[in-house]
Amino acid sequence: MNSIMIALNKIFPMFNINMPLHTVCDLIRKLRPIPNWKIVCWKKPMTGRVKLNTDGSYLHDSGKAGIGGIIRNEFGDLLMAFAVSVVCNSNNMAEILATSYGVDLCLNWVSWN
């Protein structure tokens, strides 16, 4: 039990190590995240348009990063998808690279067709 109290004190410096166990349990219960959910629905693009959905990911510990995306037409049909390893230094940069890469693919796709 003492190691739990020490760990809590390291994470929360204002935490009193000498609190009774029931008080500690009440505090931990209050720290739980409150579940928050919503229904997410993909919507088709307008007639004559395509829709690009992208994602980027960066793992700070390893420095590895990747981007991916999918392009669909007005009927929801897959036109193109991509997944690429990239070099960057943050999640935000990975997201930007994914969007940029996807937009370039969309523009090139238009010129191919």
Side-chain angles (χ1 to χ4, degrees):
M1 181 65 190
N2 193 32
S3 58
I4 293 172
M5 302 293 263
I6 292 169
L8 284 170
N9 185 252
K10 287 204 180 275
I11 296 169
F12 305 102
M14 297 172 68
F15 178 80
N16 181 355
I17 292 179
N18 299 316
M19 286 182 183
L21 181 59
H22 67 84
T23 305
V24 172
C25 291
D26 287 341
L27 283 172
I28 291 172
R29 205 173 294 119
K30 289 178 185 174
L31 292 174
R32 278 189 307 176
I34 299 169
N36 186 6
W37 62 273
K38 65 180 176 179
I39 295 173
V40 177
C41 176
W42 185 86
K43 294 183 181 175
K44 295 178 185 177
M46 295 170 31
T47 302
R49 304 238 175 141
V50 297
K51 188 168 206 174
L52 167 66
N53 294 103
T54 62
D55 191 25
S57 179
Y58 171 74
L59 298 174
H60 180 73
D61 292 342
S62 66
K64 292 183 179 182
I67 60 173
I70 187 167
I71 303 166
R72 294 183 180 268
N73 66 12
E74 63 196 73
F75 305 108
D77 299 327
L78 170 69
L79 299 177
M80 196 178 311
F82 64 93
V84 181
S85 294
V86 294
V87 176
C88 64
N89 57 12
S90 72
N91 280 321
N92 288 340
M93 182 57 76
E95 295 284 355
I96 292 166
L97 289 172
T99 303
S100 175
Y101 192 92
V103 168
D104 286 344
L105 280 178
C106 286
L107 294 173
N108 286 326
W109 182 82
V110 169
S111 65
W112 298 328
N113 291 306

